[in-house]
């Protein structure tokens, strides 16, 4: 099977960054948004976030906002591809959640 | 007031720890150049310090881009020396960790080990060559040549540089074990 068709799980950081970028944000905005969404549980390190942003840009899952290229603070937004990836990930997570609930008898 | 301290560190993690101890005493690092630390009085514990190895030298375009990004998140680069950046963040802004997941930590530690290994390889190659030249010359002119004694400390330095990476290698191993079960 070619590697590109592998459908692995997204990392927590990547999924949260993609979710945060349904509204355009700059780097620090992403950190704050992820902190808020996870109720302070996920603190993205600036180095980790920088690497993730570059990878997501390369993959085309997020795009820099037009007209912001020269601005001091670059803003990013999720792309259509990114949204498809998120949708697929949610289906995968739903399956996990359903199975987890069934097996544990919904007690957790 | 300015305080200048001359000190040399091999291990950047110990150096970082020392900078944070200084910050706790009310001395905030403001500048660094070869073994020369410039501190300025600041409220005790105001800043948390981190030392990071950049991909390129501090003045390189890519490093500047990264440092600018850090700046947006409240992280200030007080000095960049070759590929090393001395970073600080106000403690009131919360914890200061550059890498928050296992993969990026492993990547970072590997980068540092590779950086040291380049120097180690250089010392080992030059050291070994000198030792050999020393032996050959010694054989020719009697005794051991000057190069032999020049080469030995270089080999020692190379070995020390390789050993320097041991704690990081142990960390990577631990992280890789973690990675097998979680992100």
């Amino acid at each position: 099977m070619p590697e590109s068709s592998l459908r692995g799980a997204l990392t927590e950081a990547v999924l949260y960054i993609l979710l945060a970028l349904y509204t355009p944000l700059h780097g620090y905005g992403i950190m704050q948004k992820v902190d808020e969404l996870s109720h302070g549980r996920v603190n993205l390190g600036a180095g980790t976030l920088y690497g993730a942003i570059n990878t997501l840009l390369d993959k085309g899952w997020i795009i820099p906002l037009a007209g912001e290229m020269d601005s001091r603070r670059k803003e990013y937004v999720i792309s259509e591809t990114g949204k498809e990836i998120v949708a697929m990930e949610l289906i995968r997570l739903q399956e996990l959640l359903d199975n987890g609930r069934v097996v544990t008898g919904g007690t957790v | 007031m300015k305080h200048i301290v001359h000190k040399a560190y091999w291990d950047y993690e110990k150096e970082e720890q020392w900078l944070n101890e200084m910050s706790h005493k009310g001395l905030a690092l403001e500048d660094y150049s070869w073994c020369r630390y410039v501190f300025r009085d600041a409220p005790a514990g105001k800043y948390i310090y981190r030392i990071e190895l950049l991909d390129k030298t501090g003045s390189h375009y890519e490093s500047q881009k990264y440092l600018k990004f850090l700046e947006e998140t409240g992280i200030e680069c007080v000095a960049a020396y070759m590929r090393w950046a001395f970073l600080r963040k106000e403690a009131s802004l919360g914890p200061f960790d550059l890498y928050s997941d296992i993969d990026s930590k492993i990547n970072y530690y590997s980068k540092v080990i590779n950086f040291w290994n380049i120097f180690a390889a250089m010392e080992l190659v030059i050291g070994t060559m000198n030792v050999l030249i020393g032996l050959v010359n010694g054989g020719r002119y009697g005794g051991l040549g000057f190069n032999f004694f020049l080469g030995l400390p270089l080999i020692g330095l190379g070995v020390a540089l390789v050993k320097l990476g041991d704690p990081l290698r142990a960390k990577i191993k631990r992280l890789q074990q973690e990675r097998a079960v979680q992100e």
Side-chain angles (χ1 to χ4, degrees):
Chain A
M1 208 205 300
E3 208 175 341
S4 60
S5 65
L6 284 176
R7 280 277 165 259
L10 297 186
T11 65
E12 186 175 63
V14 161
L15 182 54
Y16 261 132
I17 292 167
L18 291 174
L19 289 176
L21 288 178
Y22 272 72
T23 350
L25 289 170
H26 49 76
Y28 188 53
I30 297 173
M31 285 167 98
Q32 287 176 313
K33 184 74 183 174
V34 170
D35 184 75
E36 181 193 314
L37 284 170
S38 68
H39 304 287
R41 188 178 59 81
V42 180
N43 292 303
L44 286 179
T48 298
L49 175 61
Y50 187 77
I53 288 177
N54 286 331
T55 308
L56 294 176
L57 283 171
D58 281 347
K59 282 184 166 291
W61 295 3
I62 63 171
I63 38 178
L65 220 56
E68 297 284 336
M69 295 307 284
D70 300 322
S71 142
R72 214 177 71 83
R73 287 182 153 200
K74 236 187 227 176
E75 281 198 320
Y76 308 95
V77 72
I78 189 166
S79 68
E80 286 311 311
T81 318
K83 286 180 183 174
E84 282 167 26
I85 298 287
V86 169
M88 278 190 290
E89 181 65 2
L90 293 185
I91 292 168
R92 193 190 67 83
L93 288 172
Q94 188 64 54
E95 176 204 298
L96 264 178
L97 197 59
D98 291 344
N99 282 330
R101 290 228 164 102
V102 167
V103 171
T104 60
T107 49
V108 186
Chain B
M1 210 178 86
K2 253 188 180 177
H3 308 265
I4 294 167
V5 180
H6 292 272
K7 210 171 157 95
Y9 273 100
W10 278 95
D11 184 338
Y12 79 100
E13 289 191 315
K14 289 195 180 121
E15 185 178 9
E16 189 180 279
Q17 202 184 334
W18 175 65
L19 292 178
N20 282 311
E21 282 164 13
M22 294 296 270
S23 172
H24 267 281
K25 288 184 202 157
L27 291 166
L29 183 77
E30 206 176 54
D31 198 11
Y32 172 85
S33 49
W34 181 247
C35 296
R36 181 177 177 270
Y37 299 82
V38 182
F39 294 91
R40 192 173 284 276
D41 293 318
K46 185 178 179 191
Y47 297 105
I48 306 171
Y49 283 86
R50 294 278 176 257
I51 300 174
E52 191 182 12
L53 178 68
L54 304 170
D55 287 333
K56 302 273 160 62
T57 55
S59 55
H60 192 279
Y61 168 70
E62 275 178 36
S63 299
Q64 287 297 318
K65 226 171 75 174
Y66 174 62
L67 293 175
K68 201 178 247 182
F69 179 85
L70 292 186
E71 209 178 283
E72 285 175 27
T73 70
I75 298 167
E76 182 191 349
C77 176
V78 294
Y81 185 78
M82 298 198 296
R83 279 176 62 190
W84 294 99
F86 292 77
L87 308 168
R88 74 178 177 191
K89 185 175 168 178
E90 288 197 20
S92 61
L93 294 173
F96 181 12
D97 290 307
L98 287 160
Y99 298 100
S100 52
D101 62 27
I102 295 179
D103 283 335
S104 50
K105 281 181 193 164
I106 292 176
N107 280 344
Y108 178 67
Y109 293 142
S110 308
K111 183 165 88 179
V112 177
I113 291 175
N114 286 338
F115 176 74
W116 283 333
N117 280 351
I118 292 168
F119 287 102
M122 267 165 34
E123 304 302 340
L124 289 174
V125 167
I126 297 170
T128 308
M129 273 167 49
N130 273 291
V131 165
L132 292 177
I133 293 169
L135 287 174
V136 169
N137 284 348
R140 211 176 281 164
Y141 307 113
L144 287 165
F146 161 75
N147 292 82
F148 181 81
F149 297 99
L150 182 75
L152 282 185
L154 289 177
I155 291 176
L157 189 61
V159 172
L161 279 164
V162 173
K163 297 291 277 177
L164 193 57
D166 282 353
L168 292 187
R169 271 185 280 271
K171 271 190 192 179
I172 290 178
K173 204 176 158 203
R174 223 167 37 237
L175 287 167
Q176 275 167 342
Q177 278 171 347
E178 275 306 300
R179 187 68 186 86
V181 287
Q182 61 166 340
E183 267 178 26

